[in-house]
Amino acid sequence: MGFSKLPSEIIEHIFLDLDPLTLARCRAISRELNKLIGGSVSLQIIIEAGIDGLLVVGPHDRHLGYPFSSAKHLLDEIFRIREALRQFIPRSVWETPYEPGPFEISDGIICSTVLGGVEERLKSFHFNEMLAPTDEGHDPFELDPTGKRYTRMIQDIDAGAIDLVFFTGFDLVVLLEEIITPDIDKIDYRLHFKTISTGVPHPEATLPHIEYTSPLSPEIQLKTSIQLYDDMVALLLVQEDTRGGVTVWNWKSGEVIVPCQSALTSMFLSQDQLLLVRDSNGDPLAFTDFRNMHMVVYSISKGCITHRIKLPLLALLDPFLFTYPRQTLLQIPPAQVAGKFAPDPSLDIFALRFWTPYANYDDAECTVVFSTQRLLEACKAAFVDQEQYPVDVEWSIWGPKSSRWFPPYSLSGLSERGIHGPRLVALTRSNALDMGDRIGNWASNENDDLGNPVILDFNPRPILQGATNCDFPLCRNTVVRDIWSWTILEREKEVVIESGLPFRAFVHKEEWSDSDIYLHSTALVSVMEKSNKIYSFLQHPNVWYNGKTTE
């Protein structure tokens, strides 16, 4: 029996496993397939979510659930969210608890922490699902006794933790403890692996904790950062932005899989690759030569640096990488709304923030956005011509089309959780890109206020479908396709940097008083003095905005 003679129900079931782009192309094969796909709400959900850079996650019968009454309701909501984002009008706004300790967002869960003791260490954690109050009148500031939403409270933690990271798919929270010892010549750390549900040592971890002695001098304060990626946990220690190193363990076995590598900032590129920003000497104990910085890729399977990523600038002061904390396990997280979709990994971005030390910009903060997938493709292609490690990946070959360089004084407020998939939230000026995509309207004076929220969307699919500039009452949309040229003086020599990664900018016309804004799925999260304020582009029942119901 030929494929075309199969029952339409069987064809639809097969097509449910296709990616959005392949499914969209199938509409051009024949009139019959175009009619079948156009008449299937489930297939339309996959296509429309794909246009927005999202993948449908989990079993297909999980389309339904709070707050959706039907698959058609979910499809309609995709269109409404898209339009609300274009106009920068949140459809639901509410608040959740906040405490003045380390703060983390993952899988649609907000974790607030409480500090205590003489040393002001973490004493308790509040994990709260990022859902609005329900029809039952549940107060998001209290634990939900009905169990209809994900809420966890861990109290009286015995580890004197100073930082944390968590992954609800593994019921895992990793706590970083700084150990006070009589030996003033060293600093010891301990990584604890506990369950979110009960706060006890995690059953899948062979060791309840891992101890680590920093090779850096304890005389100068260290900045710490923890990152999770599947069964790997990375600890980055940086000493006053002058030197630092990252070490990676398998948290289940306790084995060191990446010994300390020199880095001032780092991130996971993939399950096998770490991206590090460092100088050319590669010694975590040596002070960094900021005049000779570059990015390198460390392969976990090969156990060495495999690529040197050339950048057009050599001088990068205080570099920091920002990325979406992706987990490769596409499980349905406890947050039902966020669990419907996951960002398409082929569209992921990461950002590099740094200061340039040269006189024409006077130590100005700059931001560069890169396509993760294009960098991985460039690294793979570089092996064609060279076999010895490390391989040089020349900027002229991959950089201009895979990056977007924002000049000094154009963006601020970028946070560690300010990126979600292909989108980034920051602060800018209300007149940014007023005259189209000319770079001059981004670069201005450092004394100008940067208080207008902007969402930058580097998903090219809406642009390929003909997205245009729009002016709404509260928001200005600008589509940027052109190559930007930015000239900077480095070592008394003019350097011209070209970048052309396409994006859309949604610039709010009003200033927000919120200084720390995070981006997660369909919502912005603002950390305020006494609560977390959530601006959702998704309609939630029983939620009011500006004194009116949001529907």
PDB file of all heavy atoms in Angstrom, residues 149-179:
ATOM      1  N   ARG A 149      -0.614  22.574  41.863  1.00  0.00           N
ATOM      2  CA  ARG A 149       0.511  23.303  41.297  1.00  0.00           C
ATOM      3  C   ARG A 149       1.777  22.866  42.030  1.00  0.00           C
ATOM      4  O   ARG A 149       1.733  22.307  43.110  1.00  0.00           O
ATOM      5  CB  ARG A 149       0.307  24.813  41.387  1.00  0.00           C
ATOM      6  CG  ARG A 149       0.215  25.347  42.803  1.00  0.00           C
ATOM      7  CD  ARG A 149       0.093  26.859  42.817  1.00  0.00           C
ATOM      8  NE  ARG A 149      -1.067  27.271  42.070  1.00  0.00           N
ATOM      9  CZ  ARG A 149      -1.077  28.293  41.225  1.00  0.00           C
ATOM     10  NH1 ARG A 149       0.012  28.985  41.025  1.00  0.00           N
ATOM     11  NH2 ARG A 149      -2.162  28.639  40.592  1.00  0.00           N
ATOM     12  N   TYR A 150       2.901  23.161  41.417  1.00  0.00           N
ATOM     13  CA  TYR A 150       4.184  22.711  41.959  1.00  0.00           C
ATOM     14  C   TYR A 150       4.681  23.728  42.975  1.00  0.00           C
ATOM     15  O   TYR A 150       5.058  24.844  42.623  1.00  0.00           O
ATOM     16  CB  TYR A 150       5.192  22.568  40.817  1.00  0.00           C
ATOM     17  CG  TYR A 150       6.511  21.951  41.214  1.00  0.00           C
ATOM     18  CD1 TYR A 150       6.723  20.591  41.089  1.00  0.00           C
ATOM     19  CD2 TYR A 150       7.540  22.736  41.706  1.00  0.00           C
ATOM     20  CE1 TYR A 150       7.932  20.022  41.442  1.00  0.00           C
ATOM     21  CE2 TYR A 150       8.755  22.177  42.072  1.00  0.00           C
ATOM     22  CZ  TYR A 150       8.942  20.819  41.927  1.00  0.00           C
ATOM     23  OH  TYR A 150      10.145  20.261  42.279  1.00  0.00           O
ATOM     24  N   THR A 151       4.644  23.362  44.255  1.00  0.00           N
ATOM     25  CA  THR A 151       5.208  24.207  45.299  1.00  0.00           C
ATOM     26  C   THR A 151       5.994  23.341  46.260  1.00  0.00           C
ATOM     27  O   THR A 151       5.550  22.257  46.649  1.00  0.00           O
ATOM     28  CB  THR A 151       4.107  24.958  46.088  1.00  0.00           C
ATOM     29  OG1 THR A 151       3.145  24.005  46.562  1.00  0.00           O
ATOM     30  CG2 THR A 151       3.427  25.996  45.233  1.00  0.00           C
ATOM     31  N   ARG A 152       7.178  23.785  46.634  1.00  0.00           N
ATOM     32  CA  ARG A 152       8.027  23.053  47.576  1.00  0.00           C
ATOM     33  C   ARG A 152       8.686  24.063  48.502  1.00  0.00           C
ATOM     34  O   ARG A 152       9.102  25.139  48.081  1.00  0.00           O
ATOM     35  CB  ARG A 152       9.119  22.261  46.846  1.00  0.00           C
ATOM     36  CG  ARG A 152       8.616  21.207  45.877  1.00  0.00           C
ATOM     37  CD  ARG A 152       8.023  19.994  46.606  1.00  0.00           C
ATOM     38  NE  ARG A 152       7.736  18.920  45.686  1.00  0.00           N
ATOM     39  CZ  ARG A 152       6.597  18.804  44.994  1.00  0.00           C
ATOM     40  NH1 ARG A 152       5.663  19.732  45.131  1.00  0.00           N
ATOM     41  NH2 ARG A 152       6.403  17.789  44.181  1.00  0.00           N
ATOM     42  N   MET A 153       8.785  23.710  49.760  1.00  0.00           N
ATOM     43  CA  MET A 153       9.510  24.525  50.725  1.00  0.00           C
ATOM     44  C   MET A 153      10.523  23.639  51.437  1.00  0.00           C
ATOM     45  O   MET A 153      10.166  22.611  52.018  1.00  0.00           O
ATOM     46  CB  MET A 153       8.566  25.148  51.754  1.00  0.00           C
ATOM     47  CG  MET A 153       9.266  25.940  52.856  1.00  0.00           C
ATOM     48  SD  MET A 153       9.999  27.477  52.270  1.00  0.00           S
ATOM     49  CE  MET A 153       8.574  28.551  52.317  1.00  0.00           C
ATOM     50  N   ILE A 154      11.805  23.991  51.329  1.00  0.00           N
ATOM     51  CA  ILE A 154      12.862  23.280  52.050  1.00  0.00           C
ATOM     52  C   ILE A 154      13.401  24.226  53.111  1.00  0.00           C
ATOM     53  O   ILE A 154      13.845  25.338  52.797  1.00  0.00           O
ATOM     54  CB  ILE A 154      13.990  22.845  51.105  1.00  0.00           C
ATOM     55  CG1 ILE A 154      13.438  22.016  49.939  1.00  0.00           C
ATOM     56  CG2 ILE A 154      15.049  22.054  51.860  1.00  0.00           C
ATOM     57  CD1 ILE A 154      14.485  21.601  48.935  1.00  0.00           C
ATOM     58  N   GLN A 155      13.357  23.806  54.352  1.00  0.00           N
ATOM     59  CA  GLN A 155      13.772  24.666  55.449  1.00  0.00           C
ATOM     60  C   GLN A 155      14.927  24.054  56.233  1.00  0.00           C
ATOM     61  O   GLN A 155      15.150  22.835  56.186  1.00  0.00           O
ATOM     62  CB  GLN A 155      12.587  24.923  56.392  1.00  0.00           C
ATOM     63  CG  GLN A 155      11.452  25.698  55.741  1.00  0.00           C
ATOM     64  CD  GLN A 155      10.282  25.901  56.669  1.00  0.00           C
ATOM     65  OE1 GLN A 155       9.806  24.965  57.286  1.00  0.00           O
ATOM     66  NE2 GLN A 155       9.814  27.137  56.771  1.00  0.00           N
ATOM     67  N   ASP A 156      15.633  24.915  56.959  1.00  0.00           N
ATOM     68  CA  ASP A 156      16.713  24.485  57.862  1.00  0.00           C
ATOM     69  C   ASP A 156      17.734  23.604  57.143  1.00  0.00           C
ATOM     70  O   ASP A 156      18.040  22.488  57.558  1.00  0.00           O
ATOM     71  CB  ASP A 156      16.146  23.742  59.069  1.00  0.00           C
ATOM     72  CG  ASP A 156      15.233  24.632  59.895  1.00  0.00           C
ATOM     73  OD1 ASP A 156      15.503  25.842  59.955  1.00  0.00           O
ATOM     74  OD2 ASP A 156      14.246  24.119  60.445  1.00  0.00           O
ATOM     75  N   ILE A 157      18.244  24.123  56.030  1.00  0.00           N
ATOM     76  CA  ILE A 157      19.276  23.412  55.281  1.00  0.00           C
ATOM     77  C   ILE A 157      20.547  23.329  56.126  1.00  0.00           C
ATOM     78  O   ILE A 157      21.014  24.338  56.671  1.00  0.00           O
ATOM     79  CB  ILE A 157      19.572  24.130  53.955  1.00  0.00           C
ATOM     80  CG1 ILE A 157      18.331  24.075  53.059  1.00  0.00           C
ATOM     81  CG2 ILE A 157      20.768  23.520  53.249  1.00  0.00           C
ATOM     82  CD1 ILE A 157      17.942  22.685  52.618  1.00  0.00           C
ATOM     83  N   ASP A 158      21.119  22.131  56.232  1.00  0.00           N
ATOM     84  CA  ASP A 158      22.302  21.970  57.078  1.00  0.00           C
ATOM     85  C   ASP A 158      23.576  22.427  56.385  1.00  0.00           C
ATOM     86  O   ASP A 158      24.613  22.589  57.020  1.00  0.00           O
ATOM     87  CB  ASP A 158      22.442  20.516  57.541  1.00  0.00           C
ATOM     88  CG  ASP A 158      22.484  19.527  56.382  1.00  0.00           C
ATOM     89  OD1 ASP A 158      22.367  19.982  55.225  1.00  0.00           O
ATOM     90  OD2 ASP A 158      22.615  18.312  56.626  1.00  0.00           O
ATOM     91  N   ALA A 159      23.523  22.632  55.056  1.00  0.00           N
ATOM     92  CA  ALA A 159      24.706  23.105  54.337  1.00  0.00           C
ATOM     93  C   ALA A 159      24.707  24.631  54.337  1.00  0.00           C
ATOM     94  O   ALA A 159      23.708  25.261  54.006  1.00  0.00           O
ATOM     95  CB  ALA A 159      24.704  22.580  52.901  1.00  0.00           C
ATOM     96  N   GLY A 160      25.828  25.246  54.727  1.00  0.00           N
ATOM     97  CA  GLY A 160      25.933  26.702  54.717  1.00  0.00           C
ATOM     98  C   GLY A 160      26.129  27.203  53.309  1.00  0.00           C
ATOM     99  O   GLY A 160      27.203  27.710  52.954  1.00  0.00           O
ATOM    100  N   ALA A 161      25.103  27.084  52.469  1.00  0.00           N
ATOM    101  CA  ALA A 161      25.234  27.333  51.036  1.00  0.00           C
ATOM    102  C   ALA A 161      25.290  28.824  50.728  1.00  0.00           C
ATOM    103  O   ALA A 161      24.703  29.649  51.414  1.00  0.00           O
ATOM    104  CB  ALA A 161      24.074  26.690  50.288  1.00  0.00           C
ATOM    105  N   ILE A 162      26.024  29.155  49.660  1.00  0.00           N
ATOM    106  CA  ILE A 162      26.118  30.535  49.177  1.00  0.00           C
ATOM    107  C   ILE A 162      25.520  30.691  47.782  1.00  0.00           C
ATOM    108  O   ILE A 162      25.348  31.807  47.316  1.00  0.00           O
ATOM    109  CB  ILE A 162      27.585  31.022  49.162  1.00  0.00           C
ATOM    110  CG1 ILE A 162      28.444  30.128  48.258  1.00  0.00           C
ATOM    111  CG2 ILE A 162      28.152  31.052  50.567  1.00  0.00           C
ATOM    112  CD1 ILE A 162      29.869  30.632  48.077  1.00  0.00           C
ATOM    113  N   ASP A 163      25.198  29.578  47.110  1.00  0.00           N
ATOM    114  CA  ASP A 163      24.635  29.648  45.766  1.00  0.00           C
ATOM    115  C   ASP A 163      23.925  28.338  45.473  1.00  0.00           C
ATOM    116  O   ASP A 163      24.132  27.328  46.163  1.00  0.00           O
ATOM    117  CB  ASP A 163      25.745  29.901  44.733  1.00  0.00           C
ATOM    118  CG  ASP A 163      25.201  30.494  43.438  1.00  0.00           C
ATOM    119  OD1 ASP A 163      23.973  30.668  43.336  1.00  0.00           O
ATOM    120  OD2 ASP A 163      26.007  30.777  42.532  1.00  0.00           O
ATOM    121  N   LEU A 164      23.076  28.335  44.432  1.00  0.00           N
ATOM    122  CA  LEU A 164      22.353  27.122  44.077  1.00  0.00           C
ATOM    123  C   LEU A 164      21.989  27.124  42.609  1.00  0.00           C
ATOM    124  O   LEU A 164      21.991  28.165  41.935  1.00  0.00           O
ATOM    125  CB  LEU A 164      21.075  26.994  44.904  1.00  0.00           C
ATOM    126  CG  LEU A 164      19.832  27.767  44.413  1.00  0.00           C
ATOM    127  CD1 LEU A 164      18.574  27.111  44.943  1.00  0.00           C
ATOM    128  CD2 LEU A 164      19.893  29.220  44.828  1.00  0.00           C
ATOM    129  N   VAL A 165      21.654  25.927  42.104  1.00  0.00           N
ATOM    130  CA  VAL A 165      21.070  25.749  40.795  1.00  0.00           C
ATOM    131  C   VAL A 165      20.204  24.506  40.895  1.00  0.00           C
ATOM    132  O   VAL A 165      20.468  23.625  41.721  1.00  0.00           O
ATOM    133  CB  VAL A 165      22.161  25.595  39.701  1.00  0.00           C
ATOM    134  CG1 VAL A 165      22.955  24.308  39.876  1.00  0.00           C
ATOM    135  CG2 VAL A 165      21.561  25.671  38.308  1.00  0.00           C
ATOM    136  N   PHE A 166      19.125  24.406  40.088  1.00  0.00           N
ATOM    137  CA  PHE A 166      18.250  23.247  40.228  1.00  0.00           C
ATOM    138  C   PHE A 166      17.692  22.812  38.882  1.00  0.00           C
ATOM    139  O   PHE A 166      17.723  23.548  37.903  1.00  0.00           O
ATOM    140  CB  PHE A 166      17.096  23.549  41.202  1.00  0.00           C
ATOM    141  CG  PHE A 166      16.089  24.549  40.690  1.00  0.00           C
ATOM    142  CD1 PHE A 166      14.939  24.133  40.033  1.00  0.00           C
ATOM    143  CD2 PHE A 166      16.276  25.911  40.883  1.00  0.00           C
ATOM    144  CE1 PHE A 166      14.008  25.049  39.565  1.00  0.00           C
ATOM    145  CE2 PHE A 166      15.348  26.841  40.427  1.00  0.00           C
ATOM    146  CZ  PHE A 166      14.214  26.408  39.764  1.00  0.00           C
ATOM    147  N   PHE A 167      17.195  21.574  38.851  1.00  0.00           N
ATOM    148  CA  PHE A 167      16.573  20.995  37.666  1.00  0.00           C
ATOM    149  C   PHE A 167      15.431  20.110  38.137  1.00  0.00           C
ATOM    150  O   PHE A 167      15.649  19.069  38.750  1.00  0.00           O
ATOM    151  CB  PHE A 167      17.600  20.203  36.857  1.00  0.00           C
ATOM    152  CG  PHE A 167      17.033  19.527  35.635  1.00  0.00           C
ATOM    153  CD1 PHE A 167      15.970  20.071  34.944  1.00  0.00           C
ATOM    154  CD2 PHE A 167      17.576  18.340  35.167  1.00  0.00           C
ATOM    155  CE1 PHE A 167      15.444  19.452  33.819  1.00  0.00           C
ATOM    156  CE2 PHE A 167      17.066  17.718  34.034  1.00  0.00           C
ATOM    157  CZ  PHE A 167      15.998  18.267  33.364  1.00  0.00           C
ATOM    158  N   THR A 168      14.183  20.544  37.888  1.00  0.00           N
ATOM    159  CA  THR A 168      13.031  19.803  38.382  1.00  0.00           C
ATOM    160  C   THR A 168      12.874  18.445  37.707  1.00  0.00           C
ATOM    161  O   THR A 168      12.294  17.528  38.281  1.00  0.00           O
ATOM    162  CB  THR A 168      11.745  20.625  38.174  1.00  0.00           C
ATOM    163  OG1 THR A 168      11.639  20.992  36.797  1.00  0.00           O
ATOM    164  CG2 THR A 168      11.777  21.874  39.027  1.00  0.00           C
ATOM    165  N   GLY A 169      13.373  18.292  36.456  1.00  0.00           N
ATOM    166  CA  GLY A 169      13.278  17.005  35.780  1.00  0.00           C
ATOM    167  C   GLY A 169      13.974  15.893  36.530  1.00  0.00           C
ATOM    168  O   GLY A 169      13.578  14.722  36.448  1.00  0.00           O
ATOM    169  N   PHE A 170      15.029  16.220  37.283  1.00  0.00           N
ATOM    170  CA  PHE A 170      15.746  15.250  38.113  1.00  0.00           C
ATOM    171  C   PHE A 170      15.384  15.383  39.595  1.00  0.00           C
ATOM    172  O   PHE A 170      15.955  14.687  40.422  1.00  0.00           O
ATOM    173  CB  PHE A 170      17.264  15.443  37.975  1.00  0.00           C
ATOM    174  CG  PHE A 170      17.859  14.807  36.756  1.00  0.00           C
ATOM    175  CD1 PHE A 170      18.771  15.514  35.980  1.00  0.00           C
ATOM    176  CD2 PHE A 170      17.523  13.529  36.373  1.00  0.00           C
ATOM    177  CE1 PHE A 170      19.349  14.936  34.852  1.00  0.00           C
ATOM    178  CE2 PHE A 170      18.086  12.938  35.245  1.00  0.00           C
ATOM    179  CZ  PHE A 170      18.996  13.647  34.483  1.00  0.00           C
ATOM    180  N   ASP A 171      14.452  16.296  39.924  1.00  0.00           N
ATOM    181  CA  ASP A 171      14.152  16.582  41.335  1.00  0.00           C
ATOM    182  C   ASP A 171      15.456  16.917  42.066  1.00  0.00           C
ATOM    183  O   ASP A 171      15.700  16.471  43.182  1.00  0.00           O
ATOM    184  CB  ASP A 171      13.450  15.390  41.994  1.00  0.00           C
ATOM    185  CG  ASP A 171      12.933  15.726  43.399  1.00  0.00           C
ATOM    186  OD1 ASP A 171      12.632  16.906  43.657  1.00  0.00           O
ATOM    187  OD2 ASP A 171      12.862  14.798  44.237  1.00  0.00           O
ATOM    188  N   LEU A 172      16.290  17.754  41.424  1.00  0.00           N
ATOM    189  CA  LEU A 172      17.648  18.006  41.920  1.00  0.00           C
ATOM    190  C   LEU A 172      17.875  19.487  42.204  1.00  0.00           C
ATOM    191  O   LEU A 172      17.543  20.345  41.383  1.00  0.00           O
ATOM    192  CB  LEU A 172      18.667  17.543  40.871  1.00  0.00           C
ATOM    193  CG  LEU A 172      20.140  17.923  41.104  1.00  0.00           C
ATOM    194  CD1 LEU A 172      20.712  17.154  42.292  1.00  0.00           C
ATOM    195  CD2 LEU A 172      20.964  17.671  39.846  1.00  0.00           C
ATOM    196  N   VAL A 173      18.442  19.768  43.372  1.00  0.00           N
ATOM    197  CA  VAL A 173      18.970  21.094  43.664  1.00  0.00           C
ATOM    198  C   VAL A 173      20.422  20.920  44.091  1.00  0.00           C
ATOM    199  O   VAL A 173      20.742  20.044  44.901  1.00  0.00           O
ATOM    200  CB  VAL A 173      18.148  21.826  44.757  1.00  0.00           C
ATOM    201  CG1 VAL A 173      18.087  21.032  46.051  1.00  0.00           C
ATOM    202  CG2 VAL A 173      18.730  23.218  45.008  1.00  0.00           C
ATOM    203  N   VAL A 174      21.309  21.708  43.483  1.00  0.00           N
ATOM    204  CA  VAL A 174      22.740  21.667  43.809  1.00  0.00           C
ATOM    205  C   VAL A 174      23.059  22.903  44.632  1.00  0.00           C
ATOM    206  O   VAL A 174      22.779  24.032  44.210  1.00  0.00           O
ATOM    207  CB  VAL A 174      23.606  21.641  42.533  1.00  0.00           C
ATOM    208  CG1 VAL A 174      25.088  21.573  42.903  1.00  0.00           C
ATOM    209  CG2 VAL A 174      23.234  20.454  41.653  1.00  0.00           C
ATOM    210  N   LEU A 175      23.639  22.683  45.809  1.00  0.00           N
ATOM    211  CA  LEU A 175      23.988  23.773  46.718  1.00  0.00           C
ATOM    212  C   LEU A 175      25.502  23.894  46.795  1.00  0.00           C
ATOM    213  O   LEU A 175      26.210  22.887  46.914  1.00  0.00           O
ATOM    214  CB  LEU A 175      23.430  23.509  48.116  1.00  0.00           C
ATOM    215  CG  LEU A 175      21.930  23.210  48.207  1.00  0.00           C
ATOM    216  CD1 LEU A 175      21.547  22.849  49.631  1.00  0.00           C
ATOM    217  CD2 LEU A 175      21.121  24.402  47.722  1.00  0.00           C
ATOM    218  N   LEU A 176      25.990  25.125  46.731  1.00  0.00           N
ATOM    219  CA  LEU A 176      27.422  25.384  46.855  1.00  0.00           C
ATOM    220  C   LEU A 176      27.713  25.936  48.248  1.00  0.00           C
ATOM    221  O   LEU A 176      27.184  26.982  48.631  1.00  0.00           O
ATOM    222  CB  LEU A 176      27.882  26.377  45.794  1.00  0.00           C
ATOM    223  CG  LEU A 176      29.360  26.801  45.875  1.00  0.00           C
ATOM    224  CD1 LEU A 176      30.276  25.606  45.640  1.00  0.00           C
ATOM    225  CD2 LEU A 176      29.664  27.907  44.872  1.00  0.00           C
ATOM    226  N   GLU A 177      28.555  25.235  48.977  1.00  0.00           N
ATOM    227  CA  GLU A 177      28.939  25.654  50.323  1.00  0.00           C
ATOM    228  C   GLU A 177      30.395  26.097  50.328  1.00  0.00           C
ATOM    229  O   GLU A 177      31.267  25.418  49.771  1.00  0.00           O
ATOM    230  CB  GLU A 177      28.765  24.481  51.300  1.00  0.00           C
ATOM    231  CG  GLU A 177      29.241  24.783  52.716  1.00  0.00           C
ATOM    232  CD  GLU A 177      29.253  23.557  53.605  1.00  0.00           C
ATOM    233  OE1 GLU A 177      29.028  22.441  53.088  1.00  0.00           O
ATOM    234  OE2 GLU A 177      29.512  23.709  54.813  1.00  0.00           O
ATOM    235  N   GLU A 178      30.650  27.223  50.936  1.00  0.00           N
ATOM    236  CA  GLU A 178      32.017  27.679  51.154  1.00  0.00           C
ATOM    237  C   GLU A 178      32.423  27.272  52.566  1.00  0.00           C
ATOM    238  O   GLU A 178      31.789  27.668  53.540  1.00  0.00           O
ATOM    239  CB  GLU A 178      32.108  29.191  50.991  1.00  0.00           C
ATOM    240  CG  GLU A 178      33.530  29.736  51.132  1.00  0.00           C
ATOM    241  CD  GLU A 178      33.589  31.241  50.948  1.00  0.00           C
ATOM    242  OE1 GLU A 178      33.484  31.687  49.805  1.00  0.00           O
ATOM    243  OE2 GLU A 178      33.709  31.954  51.964  1.00  0.00           O
ATOM    244  N   ILE A 179      33.485  26.478  52.685  1.00  0.00           N
ATOM    245  CA  ILE A 179      33.891  25.906  53.969  1.00  0.00           C
ATOM    246  C   ILE A 179      34.923  26.812  54.623  1.00  0.00           C
ATOM    247  O   ILE A 179      35.942  27.162  54.017  1.00  0.00           O
ATOM    248  CB  ILE A 179      34.470  24.490  53.787  1.00  0.00           C
ATOM    249  CG1 ILE A 179      33.456  23.596  53.058  1.00  0.00           C
ATOM    250  CG2 ILE A 179      34.850  23.879  55.129  1.00  0.00           C
ATOM    251  CD1 ILE A 179      34.011  22.248  52.674  1.00  0.00           C
TER     252      ILE A 179
END
